[in-house]
Amino acid sequence: MRILLVEDSSKLQRAVGLALRKAGYVVDVTGDGEEGFWLATENRYDVLVLDLMLPGLDGMEILRRLRKQGCQTPVLILTVKSSVEDRVTGLRAGADDYLTKPFSLEELVARVESLIRRGYGERSPVVRLGNLELNTTSRTLARDGEPVSLTPREYRLLELLALRRGEVLSRADIEEHLYGEEMEVFSNVVESTISSLRKKIDPSGSEPLIQTRRGMGYVLEA
Amino acid sequence: MKSIGQRLRLQLMTGLAGLMIAGALILYPSVRAILLSEFDYALLAKARALTTLPDPNREGINLSFAQAPLPEFQSRPDAEFFQVWLRDGSPFARSPSLETADLPYRVGPENAPEFFDLTLPDGRPGRAVGIGFVPEADELEEAEPGAEVGARYTVSMVLARDTARLHRTLHGLLGGIVVGGAGLVGMMAWVVGRGTRAGLRPVRDLAEQVRGIDARTLETRWPVESLPEELRPIGEQLNRMMARLLAAFDRERQFTANAAHELLTPIAELRSLAEAALKWREDTEATGEFAAEVLDSAQQMEHLARALLSLARMEAGMADVRLEPVNLAELLDEMRQCFDERISARRLSMRWNVPGMAQARTDRALCRGICFNLLDNAVEYTPAGGVIECEVAPHEDGLRMTLANTAQGLVPGDLPRLFEPLWRKDKARTARAHAGLGLPLALAYAKALGMRFDVALPREDWFEVILDVPAGGPEGVSSS
């Protein structure tokens, strides 16, 4: 899952960025409003965490412009503006959630998780894939109640495919969501992760859960 | 008594009641005197009518009505009385109503009869007139022309009648005055009450409107044109005060909002950094960075709190001012060195025109605070590659320091706001090292030192601070 954090405080960028990365998200960070708007329009993010008082372009203006362009990315406003009027204005401008500073990192991460689920039409944190249960809150996978050990990279890939099940994701889509722009991606990292994931989630002899669409990408059918 | 209405009512009622009592005190005796005068006039007229009836002749005086007395002189409950005396004082005739009693012999001459009160023989209060007269002697005159019968036959008469009716009338009048007065007082109280209530309605309305004002209704303004003339100055003054109050509340609200933002952001940083450091303490690289950032945020908050405290102390007049000769050139140079690193990092050009012997008489610490804040502001807000000019020159009895820098985005409307604590042109408040207290602090220090402090936009994209500093010695300023 890929998140854009638009926040002009470098300290908050670091703390929030770390919390989101530790939660398994790929995080792009900027402190400038203009750049934030550009990033949001150029990339597909799962959640946009947006400060309101920003240099360059005000956060509320970024939100309005994105919604006007038809951008459906869930937006979490993160601001010191705490009055009811400010909240109402933010939510009516198209924000999906509103969190005031100071805040708990844990709460911020939980809200981001919730926004991602809602963004993919899921209400429950548990996604059922046949006899597999993927818990997006505890970030665990279980088969028939028995835990299945996954590396963070495998979990992130499975979560992406599970939340967008039925949708063919290209290798570029997957790289973008799992590694972001700044990280150099080895050419076969997606394939090797898919391979190791299949070994863990597919019972021997059964139809693979993650299917390859030659020339197109991968799709999870459940 | 604090109510204007009550005071007005009391004063009006007291005044009107006093006037009424005074009126009654004048009216009753006057009417009484008139009635008494009328009574006396009637009594005298009757007495004079009776004096025409005695008929003197050679045998003496014949009192014609004594033989055929008038009915009012007969014995009856409302009888009147008369008695006639001859010149020697011997009773000559009396009314039957007197029977054997006598009336007091108090007689005045015909042109000045004597009136007096008495108790009538039957016990009633009465009033009498005593008059001396000479009966007309027509027959005698005809018989003996020129005979002086008058001198021989002068008689006196006292006529008395009861005054019960007069007293009843007077009592009725007095009662009427008292009862009517009381009724009038009641009516007056009603009219005065109604009048004062109606008259004071605009005052009450104004008071009610003023009472209803709170922090949420400071936009209230009074329609001065519709106020009575007496209240118009109050309405105008209230409108002016409300405008000032609204501006003050707005400034306070803005200050609170700005202060909250200035504090909440570093608090959010501290909390998030601390939370992250605790949660991922095994990530020593990150937690090490976080510790440094926590310290930086704490220092920013400390700087903000100290600046606010300093501002509050200055505004409360608690500045500790010690005047001494200060070399302004050295002080400015010392302050400039504090910013050398930032000046070169931002590629700022410094144009320095400060004579080396520029001596001022001021407080060194406060003057340093002014120079530091002004230079800090200039270095922070001059766009990268911009210019800062500093000039000190003689001005009137002292020195004028002008610090100008290139600046973008400032408009004349911003200038008064520059002195509002925590105000920043940049709504994002990105420059975290600056909370918008530099200029307010510099102004507060300058005020404490009695310096004139002004800001201006002398030309396009230039901002200028002008500071008039008292000169420090006979040398004033000299070129270095």
Side-chain angles (χ1 to χ4, degrees):
Chain A
M1 299 291 116
R2 192 172 178 194
I3 292 164
L4 174 62
L5 171 63
V6 189
E7 166 61 61
D8 64 334
S9 159
S10 58
K11 296 176 183 110
L12 282 178
Q13 284 178 2
R14 275 190 276 281
V16 173
L18 179 73
L20 291 171
R21 283 187 196 100
K22 292 283 184 186
Y25 300 115
V26 174
V27 185
D28 293 340
V29 178
T30 179
D32 182 78
E34 293 278 9
E35 190 182 354
F37 177 67
W38 180 80
L39 284 170
T41 47
E42 289 297 310
N43 300 294
R44 180 174 169 172
Y45 290 101
D46 295 290
V47 169
L48 179 58
V49 179
L50 186 64
D51 187 11
L52 288 185
M53 294 160 80
L54 292 165
L57 189 63
D58 180 58
M60 199 63 79
E61 188 55 32
I62 294 176
L63 181 57
R64 286 199 186 98
R65 288 189 190 179
L66 287 174
R67 293 301 185 233
K68 200 174 174 184
Q69 287 181 1
C71 173
Q72 296 299 314
T73 306
V75 172
L76 167 63
I77 288 177
L78 190 64
T79 178
V80 291
K81 292 185 169 182
S82 58
S83 71
V84 173
E85 291 82 3
D86 290 329
R87 289 164 192 259
V88 168
T89 306
L91 292 170
R92 284 192 173 152
D96 298 88
D97 203 352
Y98 199 103
L99 188 59
T100 56
K101 297 173 186 173
F103 55 91
S104 151
L105 284 176
E106 210 163 335
E107 184 183 354
L108 172 74
V109 172
R111 285 175 186 255
V112 168
E113 284 169 2
S114 167
L115 286 177
I116 289 173
R117 282 201 306 273
R118 277 152 52 194
Y120 290 111
E122 296 285 345
R123 290 198 178 276
S124 167
V126 177
V127 181
R128 296 186 188 285
L129 308 164
N131 61 345
L132 290 172
E133 276 188 3
L134 182 73
N135 191 317
T136 57
T137 301
S138 62
R139 301 181 185 281
T140 55
L141 179 72
R143 180 190 289 117
D144 298 327
E146 290 298 315
V148 177
S149 174
L150 296 178
T151 65
R153 186 178 294 169
E154 289 164 354
Y155 173 81
R156 290 204 300 271
L157 177 57
L158 181 61
E159 186 188 44
L160 174 67
L161 291 167
L163 289 174
R164 294 171 70 172
R165 57 190 177 276
E167 186 183 342
V168 179
L169 299 177
S170 68
R171 189 180 136 181
D173 280 341
I174 294 170
E175 282 174 352
E176 191 181 322
H177 273 85
L178 298 191
Y179 308 107
E181 286 187 330
E182 291 175 6
M183 193 174 284
E184 194 179 332
V185 182
F186 296 109
S187 61
N188 65 344
V189 71
V190 174
E191 286 81 356
S192 68
T193 309
I194 292 275
S195 170
S196 63
L197 192 57
R198 275 176 176 157
K199 285 177 189 162
K200 290 183 180 177
I201 63 172
D202 292 329
S204 54
S206 65
E207 183 81 6
L209 197 61
I210 302 167
Q211 295 184 6
T212 305
R213 296 279 190 266
R214 197 164 297 279
M216 296 166 70
Y218 302 93
V219 61
L220 191 149
E221 300 278 11
Chain B
M1 187 184 294
K2 289 180 180 172
S3 159
I4 295 175
Q6 282 180 358
R7 195 177 300 172
L8 261 178
R9 279 194 290 277
L10 183 70
Q11 286 178 354
L12 281 170
M13 285 304 296
T14 308
L16 288 171
L19 282 173
M20 280 184 60
I21 290 168
L25 288 175
I26 293 167
L27 178 70
Y28 178 72
S30 303
V31 173
R32 186 179 182 279
I34 290 166
L35 287 177
L36 206 57
S37 169
E38 285 297 313
F39 185 89
D40 287 351
Y41 180 77
L43 195 64
L44 181 62
K46 190 162 190 176
R48 285 192 197 284
L50 288 175
T51 59
T52 61
L53 296 178
D55 180 21
N57 51 44
R58 290 183 187 283
E59 288 78 30
I61 296 169
N62 178 29
L63 198 60
S64 58
F65 64 86
Q67 283 78 40
L70 297 168
E72 61 266 33
F73 295 116
Q74 301 302 318
S75 290
R76 59 183 204 185
D78 59 343
E80 296 177 6
F81 306 90
F82 72 84
Q83 189 168 356
V84 180
W85 291 267
L86 292 176
R87 190 167 50 182
D88 59 359
S90 57
F92 171 70
R94 62 186 60 174
S95 62
S97 54
L98 265 179
E99 295 178 355
T100 57
D102 285 322
L103 290 173
Y105 181 76
R106 289 172 61 181
V107 177
E110 192 172 4
N111 58 350
E114 183 172 346
F115 293 94
F116 57 95
D117 292 321
L118 77 168
T119 302
L120 296 175
D122 56 5
R124 289 178 291 152
R127 190 161 173 83
V129 60
I131 185 169
F133 62 93
V134 178
E136 291 181 14
D138 296 341
E139 291 176 16
L140 193 64
E141 190 67 20
E142 285 167 14
E144 296 177 35
E148 292 185 3
V149 293
R152 289 192 335 206
Y153 297 106
T154 294
V155 294
S156 303
M157 173 188 278
V158 170
L159 175 65
R161 63 193 299 188
D162 77 276
T163 53
R165 197 169 172 181
L166 174 67
H167 285 138
R168 274 200 304 277
T169 304
L170 286 173
H171 287 150
L173 174 67
L174 189 61
I177 287 173
V178 171
V179 173
L184 213 55
V185 166
M187 281 177 67
M188 266 174 11
W190 182 76
V191 170
V192 164
R194 199 176 163 79
T196 50
R197 266 197 301 278
L200 290 173
R201 185 169 297 134
V203 178
R204 275 201 310 279
D205 291 348
L206 189 66
E208 200 60 40
Q209 286 172 332
V210 170
R211 192 179 294 131
I213 291 170
D214 58 24
R216 290 162 298 178
T217 53
L218 291 176
E219 289 85 5
T220 306
R221 295 290 179 277
W222 281 269
V224 177
E225 296 74 24
S226 65
L227 284 176
E229 196 179 332
E230 293 83 354
L231 293 179
R232 205 167 290 167
I234 297 175
E236 287 168 351
Q237 190 61 20
L238 275 172
N239 283 346
R240 282 194 286 271
M241 280 174 59
M242 291 296 286
R244 285 200 295 272
L245 207 56
L246 183 64
F249 264 72
D250 281 346
R251 277 198 300 276
E252 193 181 311
R253 266 195 289 266
Q254 194 55 53
F255 173 79
T256 309
N258 290 340
H261 186 273
E262 292 295 341
L263 287 170
L264 279 175
T265 302
I267 288 171
E269 290 168 355
L270 288 175
R271 178 174 175 167
S272 297
L273 291 167
E275 204 178 317
L278 281 171
K279 195 163 184 177
W280 296 290
R281 61 184 73 186
E282 73 284 352
D283 189 342
T284 50
E285 189 184 346
T287 51
E289 283 176 12
F290 289 174
E293 285 172 343
V294 163
L295 180 64
D296 184 58
S297 288
Q299 283 172 338
Q300 275 179 22
M301 290 174 73
E302 183 188 342
H303 173 72
L304 177 67
R306 284 188 189 283
L308 282 172
L309 278 173
S310 180
L311 193 61
R313 271 202 303 272
M314 291 295 130
E315 285 176 349
M318 292 166 67
D320 183 16
V321 178
R322 288 176 194 163
L323 296 181
E324 58 182 313
V326 174
N327 187 310
L328 205 54
E330 284 175 10
L331 189 70
L332 278 166
D333 205 45
E334 180 193 337
M335 291 300 102
R336 188 178 69 171
Q337 286 170 24
C338 300
F339 302 102
D340 274 348
E341 207 173 307
R342 279 166 63 195
I343 289 168
S344 57
R346 306 198 65 223
R347 304 181 318 280
L348 302 178
S349 301
M350 303 296 284
R351 294 176 192 161
W352 213 252
N353 183 17
V354 184
M357 292 302 288
Q359 286 280 116
R361 181 163 178 77
T362 186
D363 181 286
R364 183 177 294 277
L366 292 181
C367 195
R368 182 182 278 127
I370 295 172
C371 295
F372 182 88
N373 278 296
L374 292 181
L375 277 170
D376 190 16
N377 232 41
V379 171
E380 179 67 29
Y381 294 111
T382 302
V387 181
I388 297 175
E389 289 178 352
C390 183
E391 184 184 86
V392 176
H395 177 74
E396 294 177 356
D397 294 334
L399 304 171
R400 169 163 284 186
M401 177 180 137
T402 308
L403 187 69
N405 61 278
T406 47
Q408 285 176 344
L410 278 178
V411 293
D414 293 332
L415 295 183
R417 306 209 66 190
L418 291 172
F419 299 111
E420 290 177 18
L422 302 176
W423 182 84
R424 287 213 246 169
K425 176 77 177 174
D426 171 22
K427 298 286 178 209
R429 313 183 79 83
T430 308
R432 297 292 309 287
H434 285 74
L437 286 170
L439 276 179
L441 262 177
L443 175 67
Y445 292 154
K447 274 185 179 171
L449 293 172
M451 295 178 182
R452 183 177 161 267
F453 189 103
D454 207 358
V455 289
L457 299 174
R459 47 195 190 273
E460 197 179 351
D461 290 340
W462 275 84
F463 172 68
E464 183 178 84
V465 179
I466 300 156
L467 190 69
D468 288 343
V469 187
E475 67 274 28
V477 61
S478 62
S479 298
S480 55

